[in-house]
Amino acid sequence: MNTEHALQISFYILLIIFSATAFISVASIPNWIKVREPYKKRLFYALILEIIACIIGFVRQGMTIKDEHPPIISSEFLEQYKVWRWDYGPSGWRTSITFDSDQNRLSASGATEFHGKKIFDWATTSPVNFSKDGTIDFVAKQSIASNIGEIMGPNAPRPGTHEIKFKLKPILAFSGTWKTVNAPDGGETYQGTIDCFAARDATLKAGSQAQPAPASPPNAGTTEP
């Protein structure tokens, strides 16, 4: 039995007790129900106390209205879809991040690749925090591969480690499948995600405007995913 059901059962039990007390108290006035005088007074005192308790309960409930809407993004949601990926513009960086929960603390780890070769490792150094609007923020350590120069050439950032502060907002997108109708061979089924660019623009306008990705990777010290 969960907490909500237990509260509902308790409410109905209290309602029955209150109704029984009120009925007996009122019916004892014209002697429809015979109640001795000392007990009659106690019934009225109990009825008055129950009314006061009900008023206090309703007032407190009104002052502490519970938000029935769950957060847009939760730790369970991030863990459910395991690997989260994003591309960093024309730089050719492809990043994959995995969220995991350990002792009620959500962490993230992952890697960034350039043409299939790993150039960064990522690991959070702070818990992943959630806001009601779905924004998540965390700090992650970026470890740049020692051989990144061999992979990316002269424009590669210097090897080393940096702390990167992330603040990410969700955007509207649809994930699903599509296929050609009435294709002779039955049609191939495709799977993917479709962004809503209008929602993305609205999200960007609500906060700071996004900066376009650079044509070449930034220098060390300013490296961002």
Side-chain angles (χ1 to χ4, degrees):
M1 181 185 298
N2 57 34
T3 304
E4 185 178 354
H5 288 164
L7 289 173
Q8 287 180 350
I9 292 172
S10 300
F11 171 78
Y12 287 117
I13 291 174
L14 292 173
L15 182 62
I16 292 170
I17 294 172
F18 176 79
S19 300
T21 305
F23 175 77
I24 295 172
S25 300
V26 173
S28 67
I29 296 175
N31 287 325
W32 293 342
I33 297 179
K34 300 294 184 181
V35 178
R36 289 195 296 177
E37 195 63 30
Y39 295 111
K40 187 182 295 186
K41 289 182 179 180
R42 292 175 185 174
L43 278 172
F44 278 106
Y45 291 152
L47 181 60
I48 292 170
L49 290 175
E50 288 174 359
I51 293 173
I52 293 173
C54 288
I55 293 173
I56 294 174
F58 282 123
V59 170
R60 290 188 62 183
Q61 182 68 20
M63 294 175 64
T64 58
I65 297 175
K66 182 180 177 182
D67 184 7
E68 298 295 337
H69 300 286
I72 299 173
I73 302 296
S74 64
S75 58
E76 291 79 9
F77 178 82
L78 294 178
E79 288 184 275
Q80 177 184 356
Y81 291 95
K82 293 298 181 184
V83 181
W84 293 76
R85 298 182 177 89
W86 74 85
D87 299 340
Y88 188 44
S91 63
W93 298 356
R94 306 289 183 263
T95 300
S96 299
I97 294 289
T98 302
F99 291 92
D100 290 297
S101 181
D102 182 23
Q103 297 181 351
N104 297 324
R105 171 181 167 139
L106 188 67
S107 60
S109 60
T112 299
E113 295 183 349
F114 178 76
H115 296 308
K117 296 181 179 180
K118 187 169 70 173
I119 55 175
F120 305 149
D121 278 315
W122 299 94
T124 51
T125 57
S126 73
V128 179
N129 300 311
F130 298 87
S131 300
K132 288 185 177 181
D133 64 353
T135 300
I136 63 172
D137 64 87
F138 56 89
V139 178
K141 182 176 73 172
Q142 177 198 47
S143 301
I144 303 176
S146 58
N147 64 337
I148 192 170
E150 301 173 8
I151 298 173
M152 296 187 62
N155 291 326
R158 291 190 297 271
T161 59
H162 306 282
E163 277 203 333
I164 308 297
K165 186 174 182 180
F166 288 82
K167 187 171 184 180
L168 307 174
K169 289 185 177 182
I171 62 170
L172 178 63
F174 295 96
S175 178
T177 60
W178 57 91
K179 63 183 298 184
T180 304
V181 180
N182 298 328
D185 58 354
E188 185 175 357
T189 299
Y190 301 92
Q191 183 172 357
T193 301
I194 303 172
D195 284 349
C196 176
F197 291 102
R200 177 181 294 186
D201 291 343
T203 302
L204 293 176
K205 290 175 182 177
S208 58
Q209 293 292 330
Q211 298 297 320
S216 60
N219 295 326
T222 60
T223 305
E224 303 227 354

